Amino acid sequence: MSSVQSQQEQLSQSDPSPSPNSCSSFELIDMDAGSLYEPVSPHWFYCKIIDSKETWIPFNSEDSQQLEEAYSSGKGCNGRVVPTDGGRYDVHLGERMRYAVYWDELASEVRRCTWFYKGDKDNKYVPYSESFSQVLEETYMLAVTLDEWKKKLESPNREIIILHNPKLMVHYQPVAGSDDWGSTPTEQGRPRTVKRGVENISVDIHCEPLQIDHLVFVVHGIGPACDLRFRSIVQCVNDFRSVSLNLLQTHFKKAQENQQIGRVEFLPVNWHSPLHSTGVDVDLQRITLPSINRLRHFTNDTILDVFFYNSPTYCQTIVDTVASEMNRIYTLFLQRNPDFKGGVSIAGHSLGSLILFDILTNQKDSLGDIDSEKDSLNIVMDQGDTPTLEEDLKKLQLSEFFDIFEKEKVDKEALALCTDRDLQEIGIPLGPRKKILNYFSTRKNSMGIKRPAPQPASGANIPKESEFCSSSNTRNGDYLDVGIGQVSVKYPRLIYKPEIFFAFGSPIGMFLTVRGLKRIDPNYRFPTCKGFFNIYHPFDPVAYRIEPMVVPGVEFEPMLIPHHKGRKRMHLELREGLTRMSMDLKNNLLGSLRMAWKSFTRAPYPALQASETPEETEAEPESTSEKPSDVNTEETSVAVKEEVLPINVGMLNGGQRIDYVLQEKPIESFNEYLFALQSHLCYWESEDTVLLVLKEIYQTQGIFLDQPLQ
């Protein structure tokens, strides 16, 4: 910075020709003094508050051009609305404000920028206001045209800008407390660099394809913050979207060049704000202890979301918010993108994945006759028209048994308490017994995975509770009150059928187990969703597996997600190599000891043994390779199972594997506990996670990676 200081000393002395060394420190551009004036090319920026500081971010070139065309159209800016950022934000030109379309967000200022400045401690250039930029441009035009420099201007904030020549323009800040008798502008500290035109400053202007191939809704977990930087779901999904755009350019380059694909749109779904706007925070504050205030506030704002979801009252609020938000955003998206022909998928992080799982398990497939009949029954019940016992039996085509119930004085409430043995004792046959018990258990737990499966071919039916839970000491009647959904919750319907459900760091397996579900029928699948991927980091303390609930009697490893660069991480390869080396050494050592022991205990028939030695030497390596180590046997069995299991892990993911584990980073492998919390929040910027999502989405469209990852 010594060159900058020396330059300022020269400027303070009004030297008409700065030295070449001082000019080079400002990265000057060689220009002829008598060059003709060319108007500056404007670029549009918007202001974002990042870490309590205003940051000006440029629109991409296409959005900036659209804004400039609308500004220059001559029709007036008032009332003009220009969609930007892939349609996620609207810019109101007259107000110079930018508004979010699909979610609630503070409006941000928009500016047509031509002149910029940056101080020594600033990371990015800051644009001048439009009015002052126009003054600077007019002054610059006169200086270039007349070749008269040393122009000095004063901004509305009493800041001084001096145009020494086309190569050197500086900005001086006023000193606090200075007056008319104070120091001159050139003596007011270190200057700021001034640049004209966005082409002279370094900014990242990313463009994204206009074509949208697929829509993905992303639901957050507990609390308003989604990562260690305490960012909102909107900011984290923005990162997820940015990573996906980069991976499309690197791993789907051929498809992009052939214009087969555009991009995948990720839109956030926020349920935390509506939940905590119900007044529950005020109620909690009244009963919260005053000690350790910050920790208790953090607990009330984040961890208690888990308990809210286990409460029927607030669980209803959560599922209604999530479903209605996804339906609202989907409808609005179709209105703004009428040419969209792609599919829809959903993704959930942490508790958000459990919310989506419960919503998906309680959807109805309109193609199933019985499910559609139950839909109509649910609608009647929701409207307050409670059918009588006689009407229920008539719908079940069991009217002939009404007299028996009437004789025993059994009404609907009493029937709901009856077990299979009770119905058998009053003379109800086996078939009608099962129909009646299943019907009333479904009415009582309308949101559990307890619907019958009359037509497996439809793929939308759910097995009975007895097929999910297994216990040799429990009667079927004892399972009637065991549901894996939330009690007294009416799950809303989605207006679309998701193609794939992605769960990141999901506790679904744990919650299902705690709710009493011991096994998931291999034939079960979501009524309206074909795919399900449970993606997790190996050190994630919140994540649980799903596949052991489908195949409880078999131990096998989850699918390892390939590294996005097409290889396994080096430390994992080294670890596996050392493991194999140690196993080989152990096997060789045990084999040598076995051979030595046999040589000591061998019978004294050298001629006969010589003829049998070749057979033994061929047979012994086989035995030593099979029996020397239990670990080796387990690894061999696991390897065999890995080849067979993709067919036998059930239909929850269409016959594919369900559990997918990320590869930890080398630094994370040193201490699992140290990176546990970070591993639960790592999915938003994980290239491996995003690439798996893109790969599975585009496979449904017949588009594959340029090179398969291994």
Side-chain angles (χ1 to χ4, degrees), residues 484-520:
I484 70 165
Q486 297 292 338
V487 179
S488 302
V489 175
K490 298 177 182 178
Y491 284 88
R493 294 192 61 177
L494 302 177
I495 59 177
Y496 55 86
K497 294 184 178 181
E499 293 191 6
I500 306 176
F501 168 36
F502 299 98
F504 306 139
S506 172
I508 293 175
M510 181 269 292
F511 270 85
L512 295 184
T513 302
V514 170
R515 292 173 182 176
L517 184 68
K518 299 180 180 179
R519 180 173 177 268
I520 298 177

Side-chain angles (χ1 to χ4, degrees), residues 92-161:
H92 294 238
L93 278 182
E95 304 176 20
R96 290 294 197 274
M97 299 298 289
R98 173 176 174 266
Y99 297 92
V101 174
Y102 298 108
W103 56 83
D104 293 331
E105 183 179 314
L106 292 177
S108 53
E109 182 184 353
V110 174
R111 188 175 292 179
R112 182 176 181 264
C113 306
T114 52
W115 286 75
F116 306 86
Y117 67 90
K118 183 178 77 168
D120 294 334
K121 297 182 180 180
D122 296 333
N123 295 327
K124 295 183 179 181
Y125 280 89
V126 179
Y128 289 103
S129 64
E130 293 187 31
S131 58
F132 189 67
S133 294
Q134 186 175 358
V135 175
L136 285 171
E137 184 64 20
E138 292 174 353
T139 305
Y140 178 85
M141 179 183 65
L142 291 174
V144 171
T145 304
L146 302 177
D147 195 18
E148 296 179 358
W149 294 94
K150 289 292 181 182
K151 300 290 184 179
K152 182 184 300 184
L153 296 90
E154 183 175 350
S155 71
N157 298 328
R158 294 181 58 85
E159 297 174 338
I160 303 300
I161 294 90

Side-chain angles (χ1 to χ4, degrees), residues 410-428:
V410 175
D411 55 7
K412 291 184 64 174
E413 289 75 11
L415 183 57
L417 300 175
C418 291
T419 63
D420 184 75
R421 180 174 297 179
D422 295 332
L423 297 181
Q424 183 179 3
E425 290 177 354
I426 64 175
I428 306 297

Side-chain angles (χ1 to χ4, degrees), residues 226-241:
C226 296
D227 66 353
L228 292 177
R229 288 177 282 178
F230 298 99
R231 297 185 304 168
S232 65
I233 179 64
V234 174
Q235 295 171 305
C236 291
V237 172
N238 287 342
D239 276 351
F240 204 86
R241 188 186 305 108

Side-chain angles (χ1 to χ4, degrees), residues 485-638:
Q486 297 292 338
V487 179
S488 302
V489 175
K490 298 177 182 178
Y491 284 88
R493 294 192 61 177
L494 302 177
I495 59 177
Y496 55 86
K497 294 184 178 181
E499 293 191 6
I500 306 176
F501 168 36
F502 299 98
F504 306 139
S506 172
I508 293 175
M510 181 269 292
F511 270 85
L512 295 184
T513 302
V514 170
R515 292 173 182 176
L517 184 68
K518 299 180 180 179
R519 180 173 177 268
I520 298 177
D521 193 313
N523 295 322
Y524 171 69
R525 64 180 69 185
F526 293 125
T528 59
C529 184
K530 300 178 182 178
F532 175 37
F533 290 86
N534 183 37
I535 303 169
Y536 61 92
H537 190 282
F539 303 156
D540 190 340
V542 181
Y544 289 81
R545 292 191 61 183
I546 299 294
E547 290 175 339
M549 300 187 70
V550 183
V551 192
V554 183
E555 294 184 3
F556 53 94
E557 297 294 326
M559 291 291 290
L560 187 66
I561 300 177
H563 193 268
H564 66 282
K565 293 184 178 180
R567 56 171 177 79
K568 187 176 290 187
R569 292 186 183 271
M570 188 173 297
H571 71 287
L572 296 180
E573 293 181 350
L574 180 61
R575 182 190 305 169
E576 292 181 359
L578 292 176
T579 302
R580 285 195 299 267
M581 185 184 301
S582 62
M583 293 304 305
D584 292 341
L585 291 174
K586 187 177 181 180
N587 293 343
N588 293 336
L589 178 60
L590 291 175
S592 301
L593 292 175
R594 176 175 294 184
M595 292 293 294
W597 178 255
K598 286 187 176 182
S599 64
F600 285 121
T601 59
R602 184 174 299 167
Y605 298 112
L608 183 60
Q609 292 296 330
S611 63
E612 295 178 354
T613 300
E615 297 178 0
E616 288 186 1
T617 54
E618 291 178 2
E620 285 173 358
E622 296 179 1
S623 61
T624 54
S625 62
E626 293 174 358
K627 300 180 180 179
S629 170
D630 295 337
V631 179
N632 191 33
T633 305
E634 292 177 0
E635 290 182 353
T636 305
S637 61
V638 168

Side-chain angles (χ1 to χ4, degrees), residues 350-369:
S350 189
L351 182 63
S353 63
L354 177 66
I355 298 171
L356 292 177
F357 183 87
D358 287 340
I359 291 176
L360 286 180
T361 55
N362 291 279
Q363 295 299 295
K364 306 284 177 43
D365 188 358
S366 58
L367 299 178
D369 295 334

